[in-house]
Amino acid sequence: MAVIIDVPAFRGSISGAVAAAAERLLDNGDVDELEPVGGGARAVVTDGADRFEPWVGVVDRVFTGDCDCPADAGDDGLCAHAVAVALAAFEDGIKFAAAGVPHGDDDADEDADEPERAGLWQAVEALDQRELTELVVEQALRDPAFAARLLGRES
């Protein structure tokens, strides 16, 4: 399920220094190869002579970022590179999943399943709310562990 991000509130939550650095990266065209990944967005960000691949998305109900830069994380773990990717993704209309997976957190086995996962994501995104709800309820009735997770209980 996609989440709605309040972009003005997001911008207002970022410190002036981080926001200014992110805007500089965007204005200079240093954010490239933006793509939806893991329910969030990833891009290549060139900062001087360095290149980073930050990912942004929603994890545990918190908008967060994952960047390979050595800088201390800014607001809520978001460095300027991650904020630049977030702003570019908002502008580009990338949809964020309610539960994203940072690009560096996948196991090798999950990487092998990526084409299948992508196909399933595409199929789910094509469903309307009622169809998705019916599928989830049917699965919960067949699988008690799934039902327990759905209801927020330990299995």
Side-chain angles (χ1 to χ4, degrees):
M1 176 180 290
V3 295
I4 297 172
I5 307 289
D6 183 341
V7 177
F10 172 79
R11 285 179 177 271
S13 72
I14 304 300
S15 73
V18 171
E23 290 292 344
R24 176 187 51 80
L25 292 166
L26 287 168
D27 291 345
N28 290 342
D30 294 331
V31 178
D32 196 24
E33 300 177 35
L34 179 67
E35 62 180 342
V37 172
R42 173 176 61 193
V44 173
V45 178
T46 305
D47 190 354
D50 298 316
R51 288 174 46 104
F52 305 105
E53 289 190 44
W55 176 90
V56 293
V58 178
V59 176
D60 295 329
R61 297 183 176 183
V62 176
F63 192 84
T64 189
D66 179 29
C67 185
D68 51 345
C69 73
D72 288 335
D75 301 291
D76 294 325
L78 296 172
C79 65
H81 309 115
V83 171
V85 171
L87 295 174
F90 299 154
E91 180 70 27
D92 205 45
I94 289 179
K95 294 180 181 175
F96 289 83
V101 178
H103 66 280
D105 288 355
D106 293 343
D107 291 349
D109 293 339
E110 289 176 353
D111 289 341
D113 293 338
E114 193 61 32
E116 182 179 354
R117 178 181 288 272
L120 291 171
W121 270 98
Q122 187 175 19
V124 169
E125 288 176 340
L127 298 173
D128 66 31
Q129 184 69 35
R130 182 175 177 87
E131 292 170 318
L132 181 57
T133 300
E134 287 176 11
L135 282 173
V136 169
V137 169
E138 287 174 17
Q139 181 62 28
L141 290 171
R142 283 192 300 266
D143 183 347
F146 179 78
R149 284 184 64 198
L150 181 65
L151 296 171
R153 297 187 308 247
E154 293 295 319
S155 56

